[in-house]
Amino acid sequence: MTAVKSDAQPQLLFVDGSFEELAKEMADYLKAEDAKQLLGGGDKAPSKEDVLAKLVAASSALNTVPEKEYTAASNLMIHLVLQSSDPKKYLPALCANFAKPMGNSPVHGAGLSLNALSTVFNLLEPADPIRARVFMEILKFLKAHGMFDSLRPYLERLPEWLDSWGAGEEIERKIYEEVADVAAEAGEESESYNFLLKALHTFDADDKEELTSDDAQRLALRAVKIAILSNSYFLFQDLRAIPSIQTLSETHPVYSQLLDIFAEQDLEDYNDFNDEHEGWVAQQKLDGEKLHRKIRLLTFASLAAATPSREIAYDKICKALQIPADEVERWTIDVVRAGLVEGKLSQQRRMFLVHKVTYRVFGQKQYQELANRVDHWRATLNNVLTVLKQEQSAAKTARERETQELERKLTSATTGGSGNQGGDRRRHQRERTDNDD
């Protein structure tokens, strides 16, 4: 959608001629006989609005014109419609005609149609509410032709546009949902999910009737299905905080129960759910194999989070995930790749050493687990500190003994050396006396 602009100055069309002259030219080009009759009706000037109504009705013929003439013809048609005192009466029909496939341009037709739609959008004043309806037509066109990449650069500006249009919550919701559809059609799961959540946030949190309306429940169920089946989403706190999602506990309690399981429970709870609601997953056309794999990964994350020692024996993993021992390494690799846990396997000790873990929820239970882990670390550190103090004391005692022993040896050596020197002097004296005799 390269032609779309967001600045205050609209794009201009350079068209020369009076409305009547240009309308006649357009009527001849489209072979719009009804418009021709109005324009050739004699001295009395025809009503501009009547002429536009006939031209817009005939504008579907633009999809059959030669490719090289399409842009000029569509620009002239847009210019004429914008001469109306109330363009919004004609723009939806005109945009719908622009969005139809071009028979004479199978390769470039989509691009030409998008340019025409974008020109309508750009020529309207930035704060004109009709822009919202034109943008909806552009979104439908992009969805039909798988052109999400043309939309992507403008998504950051969308909240600003919606605010300037003052479109209201309902239009805002429809646009967000349409963007989610365009993204989903292009396989952009993350973008689709994010805009679906934006749509859910447009419902009034204080209006119970609105939260339980068909639209709210439809979007809520869609979001839940995407979240629990996604290979990328493992944390559900933000989703469960949305008011329309919370009302599912009343309107669709089984879905609400399933969401709770994926948010904070484990494989055993999921198996109990399937026993309680036998066949429900298949009936709802949910991928049971995907759900089973995902709850195992989440169970692994919970096991890692609840293990204070940060060392998980293979046997514990086997029991929690209900898998044979020879599959432990495969599931460990999967949970690490999912970003839920970081660590490494010790095959020799048959342990998984946890370095980091993502908490699925953080409530009272998790605070208690964290407190237990802190107590465990404190006890470990105290033990280490006690050992260090003991070693320090032992080292000090050893040094003192060594010092005392060294001093004793030095004293002994000094004392012993002086006694020998006295004996030598006495011997020399006796020797001199003997010689004198």
Side-chain angles (χ1 to χ4, degrees):
M1 203 165 68
T2 55
V4 170
K5 298 181 179 180
S6 58
D7 51 333
Q9 180 61 42
Q11 177 182 333
L12 300 177
L13 290 178
F14 296 97
V15 181
D16 186 24
S18 66
F19 175 83
E20 188 170 341
E21 292 170 340
L22 297 173
K24 284 181 180 179
E25 182 182 337
M26 194 79 247
D28 288 337
Y29 188 77
L30 295 175
K31 298 180 175 58
E33 298 301 328
D34 290 345
K36 286 183 184 180
Q37 290 178 6
L38 285 175
L39 291 164
D43 296 335
K44 185 179 179 181
S47 164
K48 182 185 291 187
E49 303 302 320
D50 290 343
V51 171
L52 286 173
K54 302 297 183 183
L55 289 177
V56 170
S59 65
S60 59
L62 288 172
N63 299 304
T64 63
V65 305
E67 180 181 298
K68 62 182 180 180
E69 298 176 7
Y70 181 82
T71 298
S74 61
N75 283 350
L76 178 55
M77 191 70 236
I78 294 167
H79 172 76
L80 290 170
V81 167
L82 293 180
Q83 305 310 301
S84 167
S85 59
D86 190 14
K88 68 176 178 292
K89 291 193 302 185
Y90 311 107
L91 285 176
L94 182 63
C95 289
N97 286 335
F98 285 159
K100 291 177 182 176
M102 288 183 60
N104 295 334
S105 183
V107 177
H108 303 293
L112 291 171
S113 294
L114 180 58
N115 284 340
L117 291 167
S118 300
T119 299
V120 175
F121 184 86
N122 290 331
L123 286 173
L124 294 168
E125 291 294 330
D128 192 336
I130 193 63
R131 261 190 159 197
R133 297 183 66 179
V134 174
F135 192 70
M136 281 287 293
E137 293 298 329
I138 292 174
L139 290 174
K140 291 176 183 177
F141 182 85
L142 294 174
K143 176 184 175 182
H145 292 83
M147 299 173 71
F148 178 72
D149 285 340
S150 297
L151 175 65
R152 193 192 300 272
Y154 305 96
L155 293 179
E156 289 186 4
R157 303 300 303 274
L158 185 53
E160 178 187 331
W161 288 350
L162 289 168
D163 186 57
S164 67
W165 299 337
E169 292 179 350
E170 186 174 352
I171 295 298
E172 184 177 340
R173 183 182 313 129
K174 287 180 179 179
I175 287 178
Y176 281 141
E177 184 180 2
E178 199 68 41
V179 172
D181 289 345
V182 178
E185 192 70 23
E188 297 284 344
E189 179 187 77
S190 179
E191 289 284 12
S192 178
Y193 182 69
N194 288 337
F195 276 92
L196 194 58
L197 295 188
K198 288 179 183 291
L200 284 170
H201 281 295
T202 63
F203 292 103
D204 187 349
D206 297 322
D207 189 338
K208 186 67 175 292
E209 185 176 349
E210 185 174 318
L211 293 176
T212 55
S213 65
D214 290 343
D215 270 354
Q217 296 300 291
R218 175 178 56 81
L219 291 175
L221 287 176
R222 179 179 172 185
V224 169
K225 290 175 184 178
I226 292 175
I228 63 176
L229 288 168
S230 170
N231 293 323
S232 307
Y233 296 101
F234 296 96
L235 304 178
F236 303 90
Q237 281 184 291
D238 289 347
L239 180 63
R240 292 204 299 171
I242 297 174
S244 53
I245 296 292
Q246 293 172 353
T247 61
L248 290 177
S249 61
E250 301 173 18
T251 59
H252 297 82
V254 182
Y255 267 107
S256 182
Q257 182 184 356
L258 183 61
L259 178 60
D260 288 343
I261 289 171
F262 277 84
E264 55 185 317
Q265 298 176 28
D266 55 28
L267 178 60
E268 187 175 347
D269 297 297
Y270 179 68
N271 289 337
D272 291 342
F273 171 88
N274 280 326
D275 291 340
E276 182 183 354
H277 306 285
E278 187 175 357
W280 183 87
V281 169
Q283 182 185 12
Q284 296 298 312
K285 298 182 180 178
L286 300 173
D287 190 329
E289 186 175 342
K290 253 188 176 183
L291 294 178
H292 216 100
R293 176 182 180 276
K294 186 165 183 173
I295 195 64
R296 275 198 167 111
L297 294 176
L298 292 169
T299 300
F300 201 141
S302 292
L303 177 62
T307 305
S309 66
R310 293 301 182 104
E311 293 185 350
I312 311 175
Y314 278 25
D315 291 344
K316 280 190 175 182
I317 297 173
C318 292
K319 183 179 179 181
L321 273 60
Q322 299 176 12
I323 56 173
D326 58 2
E327 291 187 14
V328 168
E329 293 183 13
R330 177 173 72 84
W331 282 99
T332 301
I333 292 171
D334 286 348
V335 79
V336 171
R337 283 178 176 171
L340 289 168
V341 178
E342 292 181 13
K344 65 178 181 179
L345 288 167
S346 174
Q347 294 174 328
Q348 184 176 5
R349 296 173 58 201
R350 294 182 64 77
M351 289 278 190
F352 177 64
L353 310 177
V354 181
H355 295 163
K356 183 179 177 182
V357 63
T358 300
Y359 279 91
R360 295 165 61 189
V361 293
F362 211 88
Q364 184 62 38
K365 179 181 177 183
Q366 287 69 39
Y367 275 113
Q368 186 59 51
E369 289 176 356
L370 181 58
N372 292 341
R373 181 164 295 151
V374 170
D375 289 341
H376 176 77
W377 290 340
R378 184 185 292 114
T380 301
L381 291 174
N382 284 336
N383 290 338
V384 171
L385 184 60
T386 300
V387 171
L388 287 175
K389 286 181 177 179
Q390 290 172 349
E391 292 295 327
Q392 187 179 32
S393 178
K396 182 179 179 181
T397 302
R399 285 197 302 272
E400 289 175 349
R401 283 200 300 266
E402 289 176 0
T403 300
Q404 291 171 358
E405 181 64 21
L406 181 59
E407 289 176 349
R408 186 187 65 76
K409 288 181 178 179
L410 287 173
T411 301
S412 176
T414 302
T415 304
S418 299
N420 290 336
Q421 288 174 2
D424 290 341
R425 283 195 298 270
R426 286 192 293 272
R427 282 197 298 273
H428 290 311
Q429 288 174 354
R430 283 197 298 271
E431 289 174 359
R432 284 197 297 272
T433 302
D434 294 340
N435 290 335
D436 291 339
D437 291 340

